[in-house]
Coordinates of all heavy atoms in Angstrom, one line a residue:
S1 N -16.6 -20.2 -3.1 CA -17.3 -20.3 -4.4 C -17.2 -19.0 -5.2 O -17.3 -17.9 -4.6 CB -18.7 -20.7 -4.2 OG -19.4 -19.7 -3.6
D2 N -16.9 -19.2 -6.4 CA -16.7 -18.0 -7.3 C -18.0 -17.4 -7.8 O -18.0 -16.3 -8.3 CB -15.8 -18.4 -8.5 CG -14.4 -18.8 -8.1 OD1 -13.9 -18.2 -7.1 OD2 -13.8 -19.6 -8.8
S3 N -19.1 -18.1 -7.7 CA -20.3 -17.7 -8.2 C -21.1 -16.7 -7.3 O -22.1 -16.1 -7.7 CB -21.2 -18.9 -8.5 OG -21.5 -19.6 -7.4
Q4 N -20.6 -16.5 -6.1 CA -21.4 -15.7 -5.2 C -21.0 -14.2 -5.5 O -19.9 -13.8 -5.4 CB -21.0 -16.0 -3.7 CG -21.4 -17.4 -3.3 CD -21.0 -17.7 -1.9 OE1 -20.3 -16.9 -1.3 NE2 -21.4 -18.9 -1.4
K5 N -22.1 -13.4 -5.7 CA -21.9 -12.0 -6.0 C -21.3 -11.2 -4.9 O -20.4 -10.4 -5.1 CB -23.2 -11.4 -6.5 CG -23.0 -10.0 -6.9 CD -24.1 -9.6 -7.9 CE -23.8 -8.1 -8.3 NZ -23.6 -7.9 -9.7
P6 N -21.8 -11.4 -3.6 CA -21.2 -10.7 -2.5 C -19.7 -11.0 -2.4 O -18.9 -10.1 -2.0 CB -22.0 -11.2 -1.3 CG -23.3 -11.7 -1.8 CD -23.0 -12.2 -3.2
Q7 N -19.3 -12.2 -2.7 CA -17.9 -12.5 -2.6 C -17.1 -11.7 -3.6 O -16.0 -11.3 -3.4 CB -17.7 -14.0 -2.8 CG -18.1 -14.9 -1.7 CD -17.3 -14.7 -0.4 OE1 -16.2 -14.1 -0.4 NE2 -17.9 -15.0 0.7
D8 N -17.7 -11.5 -4.8 CA -17.0 -10.8 -5.9 C -16.8 -9.3 -5.4 O -15.7 -8.8 -5.6 CB -17.8 -10.8 -7.2 CG -17.8 -12.2 -7.8 OD1 -16.9 -13.0 -7.5 OD2 -18.7 -12.4 -8.7
E9 N -17.8 -8.8 -4.8 CA -17.7 -7.4 -4.3 C -16.6 -7.3 -3.2 O -15.8 -6.4 -3.2 CB -19.0 -6.9 -3.8 CG -20.0 -6.7 -4.9 CD -21.4 -6.4 -4.3 OE1 -21.6 -6.2 -3.1 OE2 -22.4 -6.3 -5.1
R10 N -16.6 -8.3 -2.4 CA -15.6 -8.3 -1.3 C -14.2 -8.5 -1.8 O -13.3 -7.8 -1.3 CB -15.9 -9.5 -0.3 CG -15.0 -9.5 0.9 CD -15.6 -10.2 2.1 NE -14.8 -9.9 3.2 CZ -14.0 -10.8 3.8 NH1 -13.9 -12.0 3.3 NH2 -13.3 -10.5 4.9
Q11 N -14.1 -9.3 -2.8 CA -12.7 -9.5 -3.4 C -12.3 -8.2 -4.0 O -11.1 -7.8 -3.9 CB -12.8 -10.6 -4.5 CG -12.9 -12.0 -4.0 CD -13.1 -13.0 -5.1 OE1 -13.5 -12.7 -6.2 NE2 -12.9 -14.3 -4.7
E12 N -13.1 -7.5 -4.7 CA -12.8 -6.2 -5.3 C -12.4 -5.2 -4.3 O -11.4 -4.5 -4.4 CB -13.9 -5.7 -6.2 CG -13.5 -4.4 -7.0 CD -12.4 -4.6 -7.9 OE1 -12.1 -5.7 -8.4 OE2 -11.6 -3.6 -8.0
M13 N -13.1 -5.2 -3.2 CA -12.8 -4.3 -2.0 C -11.4 -4.6 -1.5 O -10.6 -3.7 -1.2 CB -13.8 -4.3 -1.0 CG -15.1 -3.6 -1.3 SD -16.4 -3.8 -0.1 CE -15.6 -3.5 1.4
L14 N -11.1 -5.9 -1.3 CA -9.8 -6.4 -0.8 C -8.7 -6.0 -1.8 O -7.6 -5.5 -1.3 CB -9.8 -7.9 -0.5 CG -10.6 -8.3 0.7 CD1 -10.8 -9.8 0.7 CD2 -10.0 -7.8 2.0
R15 N -8.9 -6.1 -3.0 CA -7.9 -5.7 -4.0 C -7.6 -4.3 -4.0 O -6.4 -3.8 -4.0 CB -8.4 -6.1 -5.4 CG -8.3 -7.6 -5.7 CD -8.6 -7.9 -7.2 NE -8.8 -9.3 -7.4 CZ -9.9 -9.9 -7.5 NH1 -11.1 -9.2 -7.5 NH2 -10.0 -11.2 -7.7
Q16 N -8.7 -3.5 -3.8 CA -8.5 -2.0 -3.7 C -7.7 -1.7 -2.4 O -6.8 -0.8 -2.4 CB -9.8 -1.3 -3.7 CG -10.5 -1.3 -5.1 CD -11.9 -0.7 -5.1 OE1 -12.4 -0.3 -4.0 NE2 -12.5 -0.7 -6.2
D17 N -8.0 -2.3 -1.3 CA -7.3 -2.1 -0.1 C -5.9 -2.5 -0.2 O -5.0 -1.8 0.4 CB -8.0 -2.9 1.1 CG -9.4 -2.3 1.5 OD1 -9.7 -1.2 1.1 OD2 -10.1 -3.0 2.2
I18 N -5.6 -3.6 -0.9 CA -4.2 -4.0 -1.0 C -3.4 -3.0 -1.9 O -2.3 -2.6 -1.5 CB -4.2 -5.4 -1.7 CG1 -4.7 -6.5 -0.7 CG2 -2.7 -5.7 -2.2 CD1 -4.9 -7.8 -1.3
Q19 N -4.0 -2.5 -2.9 CA -3.4 -1.5 -3.7 C -3.1 -0.2 -3.0 O -2.0 0.4 -3.1 CB -4.2 -1.2 -5.0 CG -4.2 -2.3 -6.0 CD -2.8 -2.7 -6.5 OE1 -2.0 -1.8 -6.7 NE2 -2.6 -4.0 -6.6
A20 N -4.1 0.2 -2.2 CA -3.9 1.4 -1.3 C -2.8 1.2 -0.3 O -2.0 2.1 -0.1 CB -5.2 1.8 -0.6
E21 N -2.8 0.1 0.3 CA -1.7 -0.2 1.3 C -0.3 -0.2 0.6 O 0.6 0.2 1.2 CB -2.0 -1.6 1.9 CG -1.3 -1.8 3.2 CD -1.8 -0.8 4.3 OE1 -3.0 -0.5 4.5 OE2 -0.9 -0.4 5.1
K22 N -0.3 -0.8 -0.6 CA 1.0 -0.8 -1.3 C 1.5 0.6 -1.7 O 2.7 0.9 -1.6 CB 0.9 -1.6 -2.6 CG 0.9 -3.1 -2.3 CD 0.8 -3.9 -3.6 CE 0.8 -5.4 -3.3 NZ 0.7 -6.2 -4.5
R23 N 0.5 1.5 -2.1 CA 0.9 2.9 -2.4 C 1.4 3.6 -1.1 O 2.3 4.3 -1.1 CB -0.3 3.6 -3.0 CG -0.6 3.3 -4.4 CD -1.6 4.2 -5.1 NE -2.9 4.2 -4.4 CZ -3.9 3.4 -4.6 NH1 -3.8 2.5 -5.5 NH2 -5.0 3.5 -3.9
L24 N 0.7 3.3 0.0 CA 1.1 3.9 1.3 C 2.5 3.4 1.7 O 3.3 4.2 2.1 CB 0.1 3.5 2.4 CG 0.5 3.9 3.8 CD1 0.4 5.4 3.9 CD2 -0.5 3.3 4.8
L25 N 2.7 2.1 1.5 CA 4.1 1.6 1.8 C 5.2 2.2 1.0 O 6.2 2.5 1.5 CB 4.0 0.0 1.6 CG 5.3 -0.7 1.9 CD1 5.7 -0.5 3.4 CD2 5.1 -2.2 1.7
E26 N 4.9 2.4 -0.3 CA 5.9 3.0 -1.2 C 6.2 4.4 -0.7 O 7.3 4.9 -0.7 CB 5.4 3.0 -2.6 CG 5.4 1.7 -3.3 CD 4.7 1.7 -4.7 OE1 4.3 2.7 -5.1 OE2 4.6 0.6 -5.2
G27 N 5.1 5.2 -0.4 CA 5.3 6.5 0.1 C 6.1 6.6 1.4 O 7.0 7.4 1.6
L28 N 5.8 5.7 2.3 CA 6.5 5.6 3.6 C 8.0 5.3 3.4 O 8.9 5.8 4.0 CB 5.9 4.6 4.5 CG 4.5 4.9 5.1 CD1 3.9 3.8 5.9 CD2 4.6 6.2 6.0
Q29 N 8.3 4.3 2.5 CA 9.6 4.0 2.2 C 10.4 5.1 1.6 O 11.6 5.3 1.9 CB 9.7 2.7 1.3 CG 9.3 1.5 2.1 CD 9.1 0.2 1.2 OE1 8.9 0.3 0.0 NE2 9.3 -0.9 1.8
T30 N 9.8 5.9 0.7 CA 10.4 7.0 0.0 C 10.7 8.1 1.1 O 11.8 8.6 1.1 CB 9.5 7.6 -1.0 OG1 9.2 6.6 -2.0 CG2 10.1 8.8 -1.7
L31 N 9.7 8.3 2.0 CA 9.9 9.3 3.0 C 11.1 8.9 4.0 O 11.9 9.7 4.3 CB 8.7 9.5 3.8 CG 8.7 10.5 5.0 CD1 9.0 11.9 4.4 CD2 7.3 10.5 5.7
F32 N 11.1 7.6 4.3 CA 12.2 7.1 5.1 C 13.6 7.3 4.5 O 14.5 7.7 5.2 CB 12.0 5.6 5.4 CG 13.1 5.0 6.3 CD1 13.1 5.2 7.6 CD2 14.1 4.2 5.7 CE1 14.1 4.6 8.4 CE2 15.1 3.6 6.5 CZ 15.1 3.9 7.9
S33 N 13.7 7.0 3.2 CA 15.0 7.2 2.5 C 15.4 8.6 2.5 O 16.5 9.0 2.6 CB 15.0 6.5 1.2 OG 14.1 7.2 0.3
E34 N 14.4 9.5 2.3 CA 14.7 11.0 2.2 C 15.1 11.5 3.6 O 16.1 12.2 3.7 CB 13.4 11.7 1.8 CG 13.1 11.6 0.3 CD 11.8 12.2 -0.1 OE1 11.1 12.8 0.8 OE2 11.4 12.1 -1.2
L35 N 14.5 11.0 4.7 CA 14.9 11.4 6.0 C 16.3 10.9 6.3 O 17.1 11.6 6.9 CB 13.9 10.8 7.0 CG 12.6 11.6 7.2 CD1 11.7 10.8 8.2 CD2 12.8 13.0 7.6
K36 N 16.6 9.7 5.9 CA 17.9 9.1 6.1 C 19.0 9.9 5.4 O 20.0 10.3 5.9 CB 18.0 7.7 5.6 CG 19.2 6.9 5.9 CD 19.1 5.5 5.4 CE 20.4 4.8 5.6 NZ 20.4 3.4 5.1
N37 N 18.7 10.3 4.1 CA 19.6 11.1 3.3 C 19.8 12.5 4.0 O 20.9 13.0 4.0 CB 19.1 11.3 1.9 CG 19.2 10.0 1.1 OD1 20.0 9.1 1.5 ND2 18.4 9.9 0.1
K38 N 18.7 13.1 4.4 CA 18.8 14.4 5.1 C 19.7 14.4 6.3 O 20.5 15.2 6.6 CB 17.5 15.0 5.4 CG 16.7 15.6 4.2 CD 17.4 16.8 3.8 CE 16.7 17.3 2.5 NZ 17.5 18.4 1.9
S39 N 19.5 13.3 7.1 CA 20.2 13.1 8.3 C 21.7 13.0 8.0 O 22.6 13.6 8.7 CB 19.7 11.9 9.1 OG 20.5 11.7 10.2
E40 N 22.1 12.2 7.0 CA 23.5 12.1 6.6 C 24.0 13.4 6.1 O 25.2 13.8 6.4 CB 23.6 11.0 5.5 CG 23.3 9.6 6.0 CD 23.3 8.6 4.9 OE1 23.4 9.0 3.7 OE2 23.0 7.4 5.2
E41 N 23.3 14.2 5.3 CA 23.7 15.5 4.9 C 24.0 16.4 6.0 O 25.0 17.2 6.0 CB 22.7 16.1 3.9 CG 22.6 15.4 2.6 CD 21.4 16.0 1.7 OE1 20.8 17.0 2.1 OE2 21.1 15.4 0.7
I42 N 23.1 16.4 7.0 CA 23.3 17.3 8.2 C 24.5 16.9 8.9 O 25.3 17.7 9.4 CB 22.0 17.3 9.0 CG1 20.9 18.0 8.3 CG2 22.3 18.0 10.4 CD1 19.5 17.9 9.0
N43 N 24.7 15.6 9.1 CA 25.9 15.1 9.8 C 27.2 15.5 9.1 O 28.2 15.9 9.7 CB 25.9 13.6 10.0 CG 24.9 13.2 11.2 OD1 24.8 13.9 12.2 ND2 24.3 12.1 11.0

C-alpha cells in the first residue's frame, strides 16, 4: 500500500542505497579498466 508512511521512508532508503551501490559499481568498473590498461602498458 502506498499510503503507509513507514513504507515511504523505507522506499526512500532503498532508493538511496541503490544509488550508492550504482556509484560504487561505476567506481569499481573505472578502477578495473585502469588496472587493465596499466597491466597492458607494463607488458
